[in-house]
Amino acid sequence: ALTRAGVAGWHYQMDTGTLPESLGALVKAPADANGWLGPYARDPELVDPWKQPYTYKVPGESGPFDLVSTGADRKVGGDSVNADIRFK
């Protein structure tokens, strides 16, 4: 689902010329989103395997945006099932 959400962000950008301000913009068109052809994702695709919303930040620290799951423990860092998962 993380990859699906990340790719949906790129599709949004291709259609509107900008990245979404929030992941909610992938599901429902913002009032100011000219060219929006979505929905690009469904609400269930915007949560991690532990049913927590992905963290989304524009601009990102390592690219145009960051899309992250903080893992089973819901804390930054960790290893195994507690490791952060990032869209690249």
Side-chain angles (χ1 to χ4, degrees):
L2 183 73
T3 298
R4 172 75 182 102
V7 169
W10 291 124
H11 289 175
Y12 179 102
Q13 182 183 39
M14 287 189 302
D15 292 345
T16 66
T18 63
L19 286 166
E21 291 183 23
S22 72
L23 293 178
L26 299 174
V27 177
K28 184 176 178 186
D32 61 349
N34 295 323
W36 193 89
L37 299 174
Y40 301 92
R42 297 176 302 122
D43 284 325
E45 296 170 321
L46 304 178
V47 295
D48 67 19
W50 301 277
K51 307 294 184 220
Q52 297 302 307
Y54 292 122
T55 301
Y56 176 74
K57 181 179 167 189
V58 175
E61 294 178 16
S62 58
F65 66 92
D66 290 340
L67 184 60
V68 180
S69 165
T70 52
D73 66 354
R74 302 180 190 152
K75 297 177 184 173
V76 175
D79 51 27
S80 187
V81 297
N82 295 326
D84 295 352
I85 305 166
R86 298 181 174 276
F87 176 78
K88 298 216 182 217

